[in-house]
Amino acid sequence: MAPTVAFHFERDVAASASDVAACLLDPTLLARCVPGASLTAADGNSVTGRIRIKQAAVPSVYRVQAELDRAEDSPGDQLEETVIAAGGVAEEQRTGRSFEFRIRVGLTPTGPGRSRFRIIAELPAGDDTQALLDRLSPQFIRRLEDVALERPEFVAAEGRLAAAQEPAQSAPETPARERWVKAGVAGAVSGVTAAAVLLAWSALRRWRSRAFPS
Amino acid sequence: MAAVTGRRAIGTREPRREDRRLLTGRGRFVGDIRLPGMLEAVFVRSSLAHARIASIEYDFALGIDGVETVLVAEDLGELSLFSQRHPNLLLTPQHPLAQEKVRFVGEAVAMVVAANRYVAEDALEQISVEYDELPAIGPETEPEGEDQVPVFDSIPDNVVFRDAETYGDPDHAFARAAHVVTHRLDFARQVACPMEPRGCVADFDPATQHLTVYASTQAPHRLRSDLATTLALSEAQINVVMVDIGGAFGQKIPTHLEDVAVAKAAMLLGRPVRWIEDRQENLTAAPHSRGQSLDLELALDEDHRFIGLRAAIRGDSGAYSFNSASCLTEAYRAARALPGLYDISDFAYDVEISLTNRSPMAPYRGVGFVAAQVARELLIDRAAEQAGVDRFELRRFNMVPSSKLPYRSCTGWQYNEGTFTEAFESSLQALAAGADDGPAPGFRRGVGISPFVEPSAAGNEGGLQVHGFVSPSHDSARVALNPSGKASVTFGTPSVGQGLETSMAQVAADALGLPIGDVSVSWGDTTTAPMSLTGTRASRSATITGGAVWRAGVQVRQQVIEVAANLLEADPADIVIDAGNVAIAGEAQPRMTVAELVRAGFFDDRLRQPGQERTFEATRLYDPPAAYSNACVVAVVDVEEATGAVIVRRIIGAEDCGTMINPMIVDGQFIGGAAQGIGGALFERVHYAPHTEQPATATLMDYLVPTATDMVRVELHHLQSVVEHTEQGIKGMGESGAIGTAAAVACAVADALGAPASKGVDQVPLLPHVVWGLLHESTDEARDEAT
């Protein structure tokens, strides 16, 4: 493992801390905000994805496994600071080299619909890592603002019922993790129902083929 | 050398052998190329005409499945293409992807390379370019205006080229003139608009360090050289493969920056990359043409002889002078073409070409000559009107007469032979012979005439005469007989749809004495084809490639004769090879076939004489002296008074290109050119919005090309001068229809409008609203005068 160095980035965000936190804890929405990222799988807090980062003409592709977690929390918009932690392993696809990373994000409300975003990222030391973060971070923040403000539409576009049913004008009150749990339960219920129907249909066919041989 | 027997293939209307595949969907165009692992490239293009690039954010595009990379200028390094063709031309380096600044709408800023076109196009949507917009510069923009930022900081007044020449003493001529006539013409920007837009596939093998490029190009060897220069490869590492080309018309002569970017991307990624331009790109980002204004002044003496001509030409270069210095090809060539086939010895021109925030320029069929022809012929019509003489008689009187041939024009064009007067009279006779039913009620009829010469053997000497500076240009061809007695002909001049495959087979068949069916033709690739220095352009292929094929064919025939003389124990001078047979002069029956003889030549060593190298193969180069074809076009049009719409009723052409290799192909070339001439005169105009320089003609709904309903049956008459100084007396004529027709149509519209409205014919194309405006303006003027 390469030695890591902490990189800092701080920026005002034109979205409330709770909206931003909801985005960051929602793997699908988070993947939309990270330049070059695409989501492969999400299971609760565990996320698997791919991130393509261009530091030369040909980009490097990293397979990423990470855990997202809300480390500290205060309820609703009254929170002093929300801290979200993420950590995991990234493996460069071509070379197979991997490194661990840890990221902590602090969100502080600074006014109605505004917050302060701070990030401390422990990444492998490299000459161009800071330049890379300088390039990617503003893009990340802008997209985060867009996604956070238009989160219901984004979520609806994904076809997730729980989010689609939320009022379009206000940010959802439910923490992203909770919504994911609800969505997971709903999905599981749907899956069990579908499996039961399939089994019943299959049994009916077997019974018919035995009762009425052609 | 044994005498070549009579022509059997040259001069016949041999059906085009390429048509079977082209008309049945079996052509192999660059868009048909599929290579394993091939990626697709699309370009992010500037949405602003003039701006500094503040930032390019492309990282989100990288996250899309299937996107391999997004390339920006810094990824490609220094890949500037520029060739200094004229000492007065200032440098305007252009990079495949814009560095720091964009200079026209459509300029490539970034390139997405992805698994397929769909993904690549989706990725474009994820790329964000921030600009600091600068005031856009158009042809009418005051260069010293406040807040103006020049297109290039190094050229503060935006003038990229200036040249002035004086031949004879035009000032003296104007001082003694009985009549001085002036005319100004604004010739709009137009675009070649080939049916198949630009495109290429680049495939780099990292193991062998070899680059293969499949390109829709008119100049494969030149593309190879340009790629070698820009990519720091040797030409031996590059093979440009020629495929079928769906029209080119000059736009595909230069090496396009996109080709360089695609090749570089293939090298970086180690996978084949394809780029196929779409129509909108072709109309906005591909090079344009024409785009110039010509102020002409003609001096006539008391006898109405042309005694002096002055021209001030202002050209629009677009944002770059481009890599082939192609901004010169329009205004500068127009200047030198202005005297044409008229006997004018005192002439002066000054040319100024300025940078604007528009797409750069490239040649388009009849480059330079079309605008010069339209301006000059309108000027002559005005002179006839002003002097009160017949416009046909005025032309006839001032044309270089056959008795003065050979003749050297004041700008140095050498006319060794020609049928200037004969073509003129022939077209007028055809006009008179046609039924004149007169215009329908509500229409006005007009007739225009346009006699001209066309440089048609753009070799070294021809290039020097036309351009006034050294422009090397020659072709080579290889002819080889196989043991089966069949011939393979290979050259480096691509067939772009003009029937070169057939016409070169005809030339080779006669040179070898074979039936045309025994000749196969390939323009191959740059590894196998002999060098064609500048490719297919400038009406040169028939003359120069044809000459090279002929010479190589005759050399191979001589090898056959030597073997035949050994085998038949005859004098080589008595050997006759004709229609695939070998005979001895005076005998009724041939002794054997060429196939039998060649087989014996290859496999029977007893036939070889000491010192003989029996390869049955020859490669020859041809660089002919300058040659000029001539023609005359007459147009009959009806102008609808209510709408200003112009309907072309007749196009009559009388042309002389010396020996016609295939009269059917000559007809096709002329007719195709005439269609483009009609389009140029009446419809085609690349329009930019004032101040912003945003292109407004980005689709074929907006940029009007002529359709079948706009065409008439072209009445074509052929004259054939005996040409002594080119191989087989062949001269080119590929641009003839385009050069002559636009002027004839414009003059016909002016004639239909009649005085005083005809004076207002000062722009091309003559769109209906322009013609309607002239009609009603003149009606108003007449009414004012009456009252």
Side-chain angles (χ1 to χ4, degrees):
Chain A
M1 294 289 180
T4 58
V5 174
F7 295 92
H8 298 255
F9 176 76
E10 195 165 342
R11 177 75 71 90
D12 285 329
V13 181
S16 72
S18 60
D19 282 344
V20 173
C23 284
L24 296 177
L25 288 165
D26 181 327
T28 307
L29 298 185
L30 177 62
R32 285 180 180 278
C33 300
V34 178
S38 60
L39 189 64
T40 311
D43 180 13
N45 288 356
S46 296
V47 177
T48 307
R50 192 197 64 181
I51 184 162
R52 194 183 284 262
I53 295 174
K54 183 165 172 273
Q55 289 172 285
V58 181
S60 300
V61 184
Y62 295 90
R63 281 192 288 265
V64 180
Q65 283 184 309
E67 297 286 325
L68 304 175
D69 199 10
R70 176 171 284 196
E72 297 168 28
D73 204 343
S74 299
D77 283 333
Q78 305 304 314
L79 58 106
E80 287 292 316
E81 182 166 272
T82 298
V83 176
I84 297 164
V89 179
E91 181 187 280
E92 217 260 288
Q93 193 169 284
R94 189 161 44 87
T95 61
R97 282 184 296 195
S98 61
F99 63 89
E100 289 181 356
F101 64 90
R102 297 179 65 78
I103 293 171
R104 287 173 67 81
V105 175
L107 291 163
T108 308
T110 54
R114 299 196 66 80
S115 53
R116 186 74 180 165
F117 176 98
R118 289 186 296 111
I119 188 168
I120 301 169
E122 288 177 32
L123 296 169
D127 293 342
D128 47 3
T129 310
Q130 186 64 55
L132 183 68
L133 284 177
D134 290 345
R135 188 178 94 211
L136 299 182
S137 300
Q139 297 181 56
F140 172 74
I141 294 293
R142 273 199 299 278
R143 184 61 68 90
L144 187 64
E145 289 172 339
D146 291 345
V147 172
L149 292 173
E150 299 174 30
R151 184 155 45 99
E153 285 77 7
F154 273 100
V155 174
E158 293 294 315
R160 279 190 257 120
L161 289 173
Q165 287 162 357
E166 289 171 5
Q169 297 303 317
S170 62
E173 295 296 324
T174 318
R177 201 165 12 139
E178 197 175 321
R179 284 191 292 108
W180 266 98
V181 170
K182 282 183 181 175
V185 169
V189 169
S190 304
V192 168
T193 309
V197 169
L198 276 170
L199 281 170
W201 181 68
S202 172
L204 182 65
R205 283 194 64 186
R206 279 201 301 274
W207 173 78
R208 275 188 61 188
S209 63
R210 280 199 300 270
F212 306 103
S214 54
Chain B
M1 186 179 291
V4 172
T5 51
R7 288 173 180 161
R8 290 181 178 273
I10 291 177
T12 62
R13 301 177 80 85
E14 176 74 16
R16 289 171 27 128
R17 53 174 60 188
E18 51 268 71
D19 283 350
R20 178 177 291 276
R21 70 168 188 280
L22 295 178
L23 299 179
T24 56
R26 293 188 175 89
R28 183 170 175 257
F29 299 88
V30 71
D32 295 317
I33 304 292
R34 299 277 188 281
L35 300 176
M38 187 174 76
L39 302 167
E40 200 87 30
V42 296
F43 288 92
V44 179
R45 296 189 179 275
S46 172
S47 57
L48 294 176
H50 198 190
R52 295 191 201 286
I53 300 171
S55 66
I56 306 173
E57 292 181 352
Y58 50 78
D59 297 281
F60 282 107
L62 296 171
I64 297 175
D65 277 342
V67 172
E68 285 295 322
T69 191
V70 178
L71 298 174
V72 294
E74 64 195 34
D75 296 317
L76 301 187
E78 287 296 319
L79 296 176
S80 181
L81 268 174
F82 191 88
S83 47
Q84 185 82 18
R85 296 293 177 89
H86 190 290
N88 294 10
L89 185 64
L90 302 180
L91 286 166
T92 58
Q94 186 179 8
H95 302 271
L97 299 173
Q99 290 181 332
E100 299 174 6
K101 197 174 170 186
V102 289
R103 296 182 171 86
F104 65 97
V105 173
E107 182 166 9
V109 175
M111 177 167 64
V112 178
V113 186
N116 60 54
R117 182 71 175 258
Y118 302 103
V119 171
E121 294 276 357
D122 284 348
L124 285 187
E125 303 294 322
Q126 295 293 325
I127 296 173
S128 162
V129 185
E130 279 194 33
Y131 298 102
D132 296 327
E133 190 169 3
L134 299 167
I137 295 164
E140 309 301 327
T141 307
E142 288 295 327
E144 306 300 330
E146 274 185 34
D147 303 327
Q148 286 299 339
V149 176
V151 178
F152 276 85
D153 294 340
S154 56
I155 308 174
D157 61 359
N158 293 314
V159 178
V160 72
F161 178 81
R162 281 192 179 91
D163 186 48
E165 289 287 347
T166 300
Y167 306 94
D169 189 355
D171 289 343
H172 175 67
F174 275 85
R176 67 186 178 90
H179 307 276
V180 173
V181 190
T182 61
H183 188 65
R184 177 189 170 86
L185 178 74
D186 287 317
F187 206 115
R189 266 182 174 244
Q190 297 179 345
V191 58
C193 210
M195 192 183 295
E196 178 207 28
R198 300 174 297 159
C200 66
V201 177
D203 182 13
F204 184 73
D205 184 342
T208 60
Q209 296 286 298
H210 191 90
L211 176 69
T212 303
V213 177
Y214 303 82
S216 185
T217 177
Q218 290 175 250
H221 285 93
R222 175 175 170 165
L223 174 61
R224 183 181 67 168
S225 295
D226 285 344
L227 289 173
T229 304
T230 51
L231 301 173
L233 297 171
S234 79
E235 281 153 334
Q237 289 176 277
I238 303 173
N239 184 22
V240 175
V241 180
M242 293 172 250
V243 289
D244 282 320
I245 296 175
F249 309 116
Q251 193 183 69
K252 296 177 183 174
I253 294 172
T255 296
H256 295 285
L257 278 301
E258 289 90 343
D259 299 335
V260 178
V262 169
K264 183 70 178 181
M267 291 175 70
L268 290 169
L269 294 165
R271 289 175 64 181
V273 178
R274 181 173 71 175
W275 166 64
I276 302 292
E277 183 179 59
D278 66 25
R279 181 59 60 193
Q280 186 170 340
E281 284 179 298
N282 185 261
L283 289 172
T284 57
H288 295 159
S289 58
R290 319 286 193 238
Q292 56 185 291
S293 66
L294 304 94
D295 279 291
L296 304 186
E297 236 182 329
L298 180 65
L300 295 86
D301 67 11
E302 287 176 350
D303 297 330
H304 307 122
R305 188 166 297 283
F306 300 162
I307 55 173
L309 180 65
R310 288 185 188 133
I313 303 181
R314 300 292 172 260
D316 165 9
S317 159
Y320 298 90
S321 170
F322 206 30
N323 62 67
S324 63
S326 55
C327 79
L328 296 184
T329 60
E330 276 294 347
Y332 179 69
R333 277 165 64 105
R336 300 182 59 83
L338 272 168
L341 47 58
Y342 297 103
D343 189 6
I344 300 171
S345 54
D346 299 296
F347 172 50
Y349 70 76
D350 80 89
V351 176
E352 198 172 281
I353 301 173
S354 297
L355 295 164
T356 61
N357 290 123
R358 296 182 170 188
S359 181
M361 290 292 194
Y364 172 31
R365 203 172 193 174
V367 55
F369 309 145
V370 174
Q373 182 73 13
V374 175
R376 185 188 60 232
E377 295 307 317
L378 284 168
L379 176 74
I380 293 174
D381 276 355
R382 181 172 283 192
E385 186 187 316
Q386 192 168 315
V389 295
D390 179 77
R391 59 199 170 117
F392 301 140
E393 190 53 43
L394 185 64
R395 286 179 170 87
R396 188 181 283 121
F397 181 58
N398 282 288
M399 214 173 272
V400 175
S402 298
S403 59
K404 281 187 95 169
L405 296 175
Y407 173 92
R408 196 170 188 85
S409 82
C410 60
T411 53
W413 294 19
Q414 176 73 30
Y415 309 147
N416 290 314
E417 71 293 300
T419 49
F420 306 161
T421 309
E422 293 87 337
F424 185 77
E425 301 301 345
S426 174
S427 57
L428 284 179
Q429 283 165 14
L431 174 69
D436 184 7
D437 52 356
F443 286 84
R444 295 184 186 191
R445 177 151 295 181
V447 175
I449 192 163
S450 162
F452 60 96
V453 287
E454 173 192 7
S456 63
N460 200 31
E461 185 182 282
L464 185 61
Q465 289 184 11
V466 170
H467 299 132
F469 55 88
V470 175
S471 319
S473 178
H474 52 73
D475 277 351
S476 298
R478 180 167 60 250
V479 173
L481 284 176
N482 307 309
S484 62
K486 314 282 188 199
S488 299
V489 178
T490 313
F491 44 83
T493 322
S495 182
V496 296
Q498 83 279 44
L500 199 62
E501 201 174 327
T502 304
S503 51
M504 291 304 104
Q506 291 176 263
V507 171
D510 279 358
L512 291 162
L514 292 178
I516 190 168
D518 286 355
V519 179
S520 67
V521 168
S522 148
W523 53 96
D525 56 48
T526 54
T527 302
T528 59
M531 170 77 92
S532 170
L533 205 58
T534 55
T536 296
R537 65 176 184 89
S539 306
R540 68 189 287 284
S541 305
T543 316
I544 306 184
T545 309
V549 168
W550 178 267
R551 289 185 169 194
V554 167
Q555 190 167 321
V556 171
R557 180 197 190 100
Q558 187 58 28
Q559 292 181 26
V560 173
I561 286 170
E562 285 170 5
V563 174
N566 293 344
L567 187 67
L568 303 176
E569 297 178 343
D571 187 334
D574 292 335
I575 300 291
V576 177
I577 298 176
D578 186 33
N581 293 312
V582 181
I584 294 179
E587 293 184 358
Q589 294 297 322
R591 294 287 191 94
M592 62 198 311
T593 66
V594 170
E596 290 165 339
L597 186 105
V598 171
R599 200 174 302 119
F602 268 117
F603 298 114
D604 188 345
D605 277 345
R606 291 171 299 169
L607 297 176
R608 186 168 56 203
Q609 295 295 306
Q612 278 187 1
E613 290 185 6
R614 206 171 45 220
T615 59
F616 297 112
E617 184 175 321
T619 301
R620 293 293 301 270
L621 176 146
Y622 188 49
D623 182 3
Y628 296 81
S629 296
N630 68 273
C632 183
V633 179
V634 170
V636 180
V637 305
D638 284 348
V639 174
E640 189 176 25
E641 291 174 336
T643 63
V646 178
I647 298 160
V648 178
R649 295 295 183 197
R650 294 179 73 187
I651 296 290
I652 300 161
E655 71 78 36
D656 181 355
C657 61
T659 302
M660 287 189 288
I661 301 172
N662 185 328
M664 185 175 69
I665 289 176
V666 172
D667 289 355
Q669 285 286 293
F670 194 95
I671 293 166
Q676 290 178 312
I678 291 171
L682 298 178
F683 308 118
E684 296 186 41
R685 174 185 178 224
V686 173
H687 180 62
Y688 281 88
H691 311 303
T692 62
E693 297 303 323
Q694 287 285 335
T697 41
T699 73
L700 290 178
M701 286 291 285
D702 313 302
Y703 186 82
L704 304 177
V705 293
T707 67
T709 59
D710 301 308
M711 274 302 285
V712 289
R713 190 179 67 82
V714 176
E715 304 163 47
L716 193 51
H717 305 268
H718 298 293
L719 302 157
Q720 289 196 67
S721 294
V722 176
V723 184
E724 301 286 351
H725 59 290
T726 67
E727 200 61 80
Q728 295 304 296
I730 299 164
K731 296 195 287 190
M733 52 73 59
E735 300 170 299
S736 176
I739 295 169
T741 305
V745 170
C747 289
V749 173
D751 181 45
L753 294 175
S758 60
K759 286 182 187 168
V761 178
D762 59 0
Q763 60 181 292
V764 168
L766 291 160
L767 292 161
H769 73 274
V770 173
V771 176
W772 188 91
L774 291 171
L775 268 171
H776 288 263
E777 198 176 294
S778 71
T779 311
D780 293 344
E781 276 180 23
R783 193 184 305 120
D784 292 346
E785 280 176 18
T787 55

